[in-house]
Amino acid sequence: MLHVHEYQAQKMMKQFGINCPNGNVAETPAEAQKIAEVLHTPDLVIKAQVLAGGRGKGTFDNGFKGGVHVTSSAKELREYAEKMIGHLLITKQTGSKGRPVNKVFVCERYYLRKEMYFAILMDRKVGGPAFVVSPQGGMDIEQVARDSPDKIFVEPIDIKIGPTQEQTKRVAEQMGFSSGKIEEAQAQMKKMYDFFMQHDCSLLEINPMAETSTGSVMAMDAKLNFDENASFRQKEVFAMRDKSQEDPREVKAGEHDLNYIGLDGNIGCLVNGAGLAMATLDIIKLYGGNPANFLDVGGGATQKQVTEAIKIISSDPNVKSILVNIFGGIMKCDVIALGLIAAVKETGIKIPLVVRLQGTNVDAARKIMEESGLRLISADDLDEAAQKAVRISEIVSLAQQAQLGVSFEIPI
């Protein structure tokens, strides 16, 4: 799914009549200070823009703590911006590598009377959209669900008619809005639902949705996810994609219609079919190894896609061996073999490849590999293939630690 930054989300929502804080985005400390001057208020909030949760408790690579800060002066705001922009922010969701902060969102600070949690999502259990709300906003909803599950309320919505007045009133009361603000909260919920549906969202999350000290109902934060299957009709939304926040390998894979997710192990995986890919990851773990990725080339991959898949896997410096596990149904084994050979010749990779092929044109594939003159390590079944891939990764790791070169002639 597509994620967008908070400043992008709030800009879109404002255009839909949803109440959000006044503010703007800055790419430099000077721009941040200028925004503060334009807002004409000393009470400001500066938020690092990264596509990850837990910003407030995050730490920057320069040691600065916190991706969200409240300030009462333009000078202090600029100092915060200098410590954020151009640095990596590490949160519980980014992993140790962190995410680059290229922009900060500067907005007015509001004093909140009540903080609540509000979300709309596509719920598989109800077969459509649902409101998920809690009177305990401003904190991790996962923690609320764990510690106070009775404070989480779910309201299924009939996708054909949308939320009724009775439903929005019930939800507003469950969230804890003051009696005089129920109708305003209902109106905001209806606008959010309309936004959610018209933009093909898979998630709209406001944490907190708040009642301010002046009595306004506002979306103080915003997280929007969009269904990638709707990209053809949401071109303006998908033009907002920030590839700097994504794993470049995943971006490259997407360009070639490959399903790739980077992991932390050292055994690369190239598999056709999501179920078989998951089973391959499991069996690698079973034999003591750690997969470096999930990569599903799909049922109808071309030779070019297979070549690109090997390039992407081998671009990970942690990969010590690659396990190719193909069950040829629609996908033909000889196409895989040709793709592997092309990738090895084109890239000159030295990473050992363990290849397990079964199914359509498997004999032709084996002949192609044998006649290629390349050292591709064959395996007849998945257990054998996984054991070989794990053993090779161990040997390569030990050899590299000892600063020795390793050829494909590896004892199994």
Side-chain angles (χ1 to χ4, degrees):
M1 64 190 71
L2 172 73
H3 307 266
V4 297
H5 288 288
E6 177 189 2
Y7 78 90
Q8 294 170 319
Q10 292 206 4
K11 182 178 180 180
M12 294 173 66
M13 290 166 61
K14 276 185 176 180
Q15 294 171 349
F16 229 73
I18 299 167
N19 297 334
C20 300
N22 293 322
N24 212 332
V25 65
E27 296 184 19
T28 67
E31 288 181 4
Q33 186 173 3
K34 184 65 177 178
I35 293 170
E37 295 168 356
V38 170
L39 289 174
H40 300 297
T41 175
D43 284 333
L44 301 163
V45 181
I46 180 170
K47 302 181 180 183
Q49 296 298 283
V50 293
L51 297 179
R55 291 175 299 172
K57 297 179 181 179
T59 302
F60 288 86
D61 57 358
N62 57 6
F64 183 59
K65 295 186 181 297
V68 178
H69 284 272
V70 175
T71 178
S72 57
S73 76
K75 180 182 177 183
E76 186 179 42
L77 180 89
R78 178 169 183 149
E79 292 174 354
Y80 285 144
E82 289 172 348
K83 295 174 182 177
M84 293 182 179
I85 297 173
H87 294 280
L88 297 174
L89 178 60
I90 299 130
T91 78
K92 63 182 181 180
Q93 291 188 8
T94 66
S96 59
K97 294 181 180 179
R99 295 269 176 87
V101 177
N102 302 313
K103 298 176 182 179
V104 293
F105 184 42
V106 179
C107 59
E108 290 184 29
R109 179 188 182 186
Y110 292 79
Y111 293 87
L112 309 182
R113 184 181 298 159
K114 293 182 179 180
E115 297 184 43
M116 295 146 279
Y117 176 88
F118 177 84
I120 311 172
L121 51 80
M122 286 296 181
D123 190 333
R124 290 181 181 272
K125 291 182 179 179
V126 303
F131 289 149
V132 179
V133 303
S134 175
Q136 296 186 7
M139 58 188 296
D140 294 337
I141 194 63
E142 295 86 356
Q143 182 179 338
V144 176
R146 182 180 65 248
D147 299 340
S148 307
D150 59 313
K151 299 298 184 183
I152 302 288
F153 302 94
V154 179
E155 184 75 31
I157 303 167
D158 187 330
I159 197 169
K160 294 180 181 179
I161 63 175
T164 65
Q165 284 287 84
E166 292 78 9
Q167 285 182 303
T168 55
K169 182 179 180 181
R170 179 165 55 248
V171 167
E173 291 172 346
Q174 289 169 336
M175 292 174 70
F177 278 101
S178 302
S179 58
K181 292 298 170 184
I182 295 290
E183 290 187 5
E184 184 179 349
Q186 287 182 265
Q188 287 290 297
M189 290 177 195
K190 182 62 169 62
K191 289 178 180 179
M192 290 181 192
Y193 178 81
D194 291 342
F195 179 96
F196 179 90
M197 296 302 296
Q198 291 186 32
H199 289 85
D200 291 295
C201 294
S202 54
L203 172 70
L204 181 154
E205 182 182 63
I206 310 298
N207 190 21
M209 186 171 178
E211 206 177 295
T212 70
S213 59
T214 57
S216 299
V217 174
M218 298 193 69
M220 301 306 300
D221 197 356
K223 179 179 181 180
L224 300 179
N225 296 345
F226 301 88
D227 185 350
E228 284 193 351
N229 293 309
S231 61
F232 70 96
R233 64 179 174 221
Q234 300 291 347
K235 296 188 187 316
E236 290 185 8
V237 173
F238 278 77
M240 298 179 186
R241 181 180 180 186
D242 185 354
K243 294 181 180 180
S244 73
Q245 296 289 308
E246 303 176 36
D247 186 327
R249 296 167 299 177
E250 294 181 16
V251 173
K252 189 70 174 177
E255 293 173 356
H256 296 281
D257 294 324
L258 299 168
N259 300 308
Y260 176 95
I261 299 173
L263 302 173
D264 295 328
N266 61 6
I267 300 174
C269 301
L270 188 157
V271 191
N272 67 320
L276 186 59
M278 294 299 293
T280 302
L281 303 190
D282 286 343
I283 202 165
I284 287 172
K285 293 289 289 185
L286 176 66
Y287 287 111
N290 285 300
N293 66 272
F294 169 102
L295 195 152
D296 169 20
V297 296
T302 63
Q303 178 180 329
K304 175 66 174 174
Q305 286 177 302
V306 174
T307 302
E308 292 300 327
I310 290 294
K311 287 181 181 178
I312 292 167
I313 294 172
S314 61
S315 69
D316 183 346
N318 294 322
V319 171
K320 310 303 180 189
S321 66
I322 298 174
L323 172 55
V324 179
N325 182 26
I326 299 296
F327 182 80
I330 298 173
M331 166 57 66
K332 296 179 175 62
C333 293
D334 55 335
V335 172
I336 293 291
L338 291 170
L340 295 176
I341 291 166
V344 171
K345 288 182 177 179
E346 188 174 332
T347 63
I349 64 172
K350 302 300 182 183
I351 302 171
L353 275 77
V354 178
V355 184
R356 182 258 184 174
L357 302 175
Q358 291 293 335
T360 307
N361 295 352
V362 66
D363 293 332
R366 288 171 178 165
K367 184 178 180 181
I368 289 170
M369 290 192 294
E370 289 172 2
E371 295 177 352
S372 69
L374 300 175
R375 183 70 168 98
L376 300 173
I377 302 165
S378 181
D380 292 328
D381 60 60
L382 184 51
D383 285 280
E384 178 190 359
Q387 288 173 319
K388 286 184 175 182
V390 172
R391 180 59 178 153
I392 290 170
S393 69
E394 292 171 348
I395 293 172
V396 172
S397 296
L398 290 171
Q400 290 180 344
Q401 290 173 12
Q403 297 183 338
L404 298 175
V406 177
S407 71
F408 283 105
E409 301 296 334
I410 298 173
I412 304 301

